[in-house]
Amino acid sequence: MVVLNVSEDIEAKIRRLRELGKASAESEPVKPVKPKPAKPPRRISRIGSVRERERRKRILIGSTIVIIIILAVSWGVYSYYKGAGARELEQAKKAKIAEVDAYFKGNIMNFSYAQTKKAELLNEIAAAQSVEQVNKIDVKAAYKDVLQKYQQELEKQRRMEQEKILNETKRKKIDEIKLEFKPLLSRPLPEDIRKKALGVLQSLENQIMSAKTVQEVNSTSAAPYLLELWKDYYYFLIDSTPTQNVLLEKGGMKKIYTKDEAKTLIGSFLDYNEIMQYRVSKVEMVDIALVLPRDRINGAFLSPGDKIVIFSKNSTGSPYREIANMGYVELVLLPKQAGIISARESQSQSSSSSTSSSDSYSEQHSRAYTPAGTSISNGESSSDTTSTSQSSSQSSSASYNYNVDLSEILKAVAAGKIKAADEVKKELQSYGWEIVDLEKLSGMLVMDANTQVMVIIKVPSVFVPDILSQQNFIYIAKVSK
């Protein structure tokens, strides 16, 4: 340090002055005097020699005292200024250290460059040997330099973190889109639709990888593209179905559509997840026979070829549920009780006659008077009546009952036990469903509403399990033309 070096120099100078003083005192008496060549030597008295030595001694002592006084004063002055300078230097260092601590604190000290810079500043302050050197240390400039590098480092870390988040978001988004495409690509797609789907998938991946922000990545959606691709695939399934109509099934609900109707339905959806729930299959028609009360078969007013819809109601409070939206009537057969003809003919006649005559005669007399305020009356009457009457009636009636069991006649015809079987067959053929037709024409219900009727219907095979399992709750409705 500078203070120590200065004090060492002063002490060294004092030692040298002391040594010079001692050397002068020892060598002064024996110092040879150069003889004057032109002047003869003079004889010195003993008293003068003593006085001369005393004079020189006093001079030497005085010089030494003066030197000591000067050195003491100089040392005192030096010590005073040295102590004052040291205190001022110490205060300056403390203030500068406090300034360093005031700037270099908080989160910035987690930055290694800030730690290093602070240590350098503290070392520089400690090594300063003057207040000027301390004051020249620019803590604020050093802090600004550290702060700039710290902010750059934070920005770098932020960019790295954002880039990490962005890359992670891209990876997740691509995995998510691939997962969304997986159900479609796992289907047996035709080559053109598969190629189109793979192209869309690759385009979306490129779009995600070129995105600059997380928001841009998250805004990328595969839904609109998948909606169109699923529609194309279902249009393909509908067109490739070999039957004229197609069956669309969703969550246990089955319905028959024409191909155009099915395409219209699929095209109306705005979410491909709804389309995925449907299953497309061909329609295979089968015939089944049902025996139902006539009031549950449209009153049995059905004819072969009629289009029907089948409903079910399995409890009193439950709603009617459509279980087959398409079917056709193949044949309707009257049951046995409708094949019994029962008729009764009756005739009656009556006649009646009556004669009566009557004669009557009546006569009445009365008198009244009031004597002395008392009322007195008397009367007399007579009548005569003659009557004659005569009546007669006559009635007659006749009735005839007969029953014909058509099923027994059919058996007899089949067994060849009836003569003129061909005429009987002709009559029975003309009978057929004329009874029902007469009901419609007359507006009179002849057969009971609970009459069992067998109907053979043609329905898609997919509806058969539901129809048979709910046969006791089936209602058949005729589709109006």
Side-chain angles (χ1 to χ4, degrees):
M1 297 177 65
V2 177
V3 177
L4 297 177
N5 293 335
V6 172
S7 61
E8 290 176 359
D9 292 343
I10 293 174
E11 291 175 358
K13 289 179 180 178
I14 292 174
R15 284 196 299 272
R16 283 196 298 272
L17 289 174
R18 287 176 179 174
E19 291 175 358
L20 289 173
K22 290 180 181 180
S24 299
E26 292 175 358
S27 62
E28 187 67 26
V30 295
K31 184 179 180 180
V33 178
K34 294 182 180 181
K36 299 181 180 179
K39 196 174 182 178
R42 190 179 68 172
R43 187 168 175 271
I44 302 173
S45 64
R46 295 178 60 191
I47 296 172
S49 300
V50 172
R51 289 178 179 176
E52 182 67 22
R53 284 197 299 274
E54 288 295 329
R55 185 183 66 82
R56 290 181 179 177
K57 186 176 180 180
R58 286 194 297 273
I59 291 171
L60 181 60
I61 292 171
S63 300
T64 302
I65 292 172
V66 170
I67 291 171
I68 291 172
I69 291 171
I70 293 171
L71 290 174
V73 172
S74 299
W75 176 255
V77 172
Y78 167 74
S79 297
Y80 174 77
Y81 282 105
K82 177 183 177 183
R87 287 192 297 274
E88 184 179 1
L89 180 61
E90 186 67 22
Q91 292 296 328
K93 287 184 177 182
K94 288 181 179 180
K96 190 61 70 174
I97 291 173
E99 183 181 3
V100 171
D101 292 335
Y103 277 107
F104 290 84
K105 63 181 180 179
N107 292 333
I108 197 172
M109 294 309 299
N110 295 328
F111 185 37
S112 60
Y113 181 74
Q115 298 173 1
T116 302
K117 195 66 176 178
K118 183 177 181 180
E120 290 178 357
L121 288 172
L122 293 176
N123 292 334
E124 188 177 353
I125 292 170
Q129 297 181 357
S130 65
V131 176
E132 290 76 11
Q133 290 181 348
V134 173
N135 292 334
K136 286 182 179 179
I137 300 174
D138 194 344
V139 178
K140 185 176 181 179
Y143 175 75
K144 286 184 177 180
D145 178 63
V146 171
L147 181 60
Q148 181 180 4
K149 287 183 170 57
Y150 176 66
Q151 291 175 342
Q152 291 175 351
E153 182 66 20
L154 287 181
E155 181 65 21
K156 180 181 177 181
Q157 291 179 358
R158 187 183 67 83
R159 287 196 304 269
M160 291 177 62
E161 185 66 22
Q162 287 182 342
E163 185 177 355
K164 180 180 178 182
I165 295 174
L166 179 60
N167 291 334
E168 182 66 18
T169 305
K170 289 180 178 180
R171 184 188 64 79
K172 289 183 178 179
K173 193 65 176 180
I174 290 176
D175 292 343
E176 177 185 331
I177 289 179
K178 286 183 177 179
L179 190 62
E180 288 179 299
F181 269 81
K182 187 175 181 180
L184 178 65
L185 295 175
S186 63
R187 300 290 183 97
L189 301 176
E191 188 60 30
D192 57 338
I193 297 180
R194 180 174 295 277
K195 185 177 180 181
K196 181 180 178 181
L198 292 174
V200 171
L201 177 59
Q202 185 62 47
S203 176
L204 288 172
E205 290 182 8
N206 294 337
Q207 181 179 343
I208 292 170
M209 293 306 298
S210 62
K212 302 298 182 183
T213 63
V214 173
Q215 292 76 13
E216 189 178 351
V217 173
N218 290 331
S219 64
T220 303
S221 175
Y225 306 98
L226 284 171
L227 177 61
E228 295 304 318
L229 289 169
W230 276 105
K231 285 183 179 180
D232 290 344
Y233 174 58
Y234 268 74
Y235 293 158
F236 163 75
L237 292 178
I238 293 170
D239 288 334
S240 60
T241 303
T243 54
Q244 183 179 359
N245 297 318
V246 294
L247 170 69
L248 293 184
E249 183 176 357
K250 175 188 175 183
M253 295 179 59
K254 310 176 188 73
K255 199 164 185 178
I256 306 298
Y257 296 89
T258 65
K259 291 185 177 181
D260 290 338
E261 289 173 343
K263 287 183 180 180
T264 301
L265 175 65
I266 297 300
S268 66
F269 292 122
L270 301 178
D271 186 355
Y272 70 90
N273 289 298
E274 292 186 55
I275 300 176
M276 293 170 59
Q277 299 176 29
Y278 281 86
R279 187 170 67 91
V280 180
S281 58
K282 65 181 181 178
V283 179
E284 294 181 344
M285 305 298 288
V286 296
D287 290 342
I288 58 173
L290 300 174
V291 177
L292 302 172
R294 67 171 290 177
D295 65 336
R296 288 201 274 131
I297 315 178
N298 194 47
F301 298 135
L302 296 175
S303 301
D306 285 346
K307 187 176 181 180
I308 60 172
V309 178
I310 301 176
F311 296 89
S312 170
K313 181 178 174 65
N314 55 13
S315 65
T316 303
S318 64
Y320 289 92
R321 184 172 66 89
E322 180 183 291
I323 60 175
N325 72 310
M326 190 188 77
Y328 298 93
V329 175
E330 290 291 298
L331 185 62
V332 180
L333 297 177
L334 288 173
K336 181 178 180 180
Q337 58 264 43
I340 298 176
I341 300 173
S342 176
R344 178 184 180 187
E345 295 181 2
S346 64
Q347 184 177 3
S348 64
Q349 182 178 1
S350 64
S351 63
S352 65
S353 64
S354 64
T355 303
S356 66
S357 64
S358 174
D359 294 328
S360 65
Y361 169 79
S362 66
E363 182 178 354
Q364 182 177 359
H365 303 278
S366 66
R367 294 177 181 178
Y369 60 96
T370 308
T374 303
S375 178
I376 300 175
S377 62
N378 59 14
E380 182 179 346
S381 63
S382 62
S383 63
D384 185 13
T385 303
T386 303
S387 63
T388 303
S389 65
Q390 182 180 1
S391 65
S392 65
S393 64
Q394 182 180 1
S395 64
S396 63
S397 64
S399 64
Y400 176 68
N401 296 321
Y402 62 90
N403 290 312
V404 178
D405 191 338
L406 299 180
S407 62
E408 295 300 324
I409 293 177
L410 289 176
K411 293 177 182 177
V413 170
K417 300 299 181 179
I418 291 182
K419 297 179 179 180
D422 293 336
E423 293 181 7
V424 174
K425 290 179 184 179
K426 184 178 179 181
E427 291 297 328
L428 290 176
Q429 288 174 355
S430 63
Y431 173 78
W433 272 87
E434 285 186 6
I435 187 171
V436 178
D437 293 336
L438 286 173
E439 284 182 334
K440 289 190 288 184
L441 291 174
S442 64
M444 298 175 62
L445 184 63
V446 176
M447 289 188 297
D448 188 86
N450 293 321
T451 301
Q452 298 291 311
V453 178
M454 175 178 283
V455 57
I456 299 176
I457 58 176
K458 183 184 291 292
V459 293
S461 59
V462 69
F463 295 140
V464 171
D466 293 334
I467 294 173
L468 295 180
S469 64
Q470 302 183 59
Q471 183 173 353
N472 294 331
F473 313 103
I474 290 295
Y475 289 81
I476 297 179
K478 177 181 177 181
V479 178
S480 299
K481 297 181 179 179

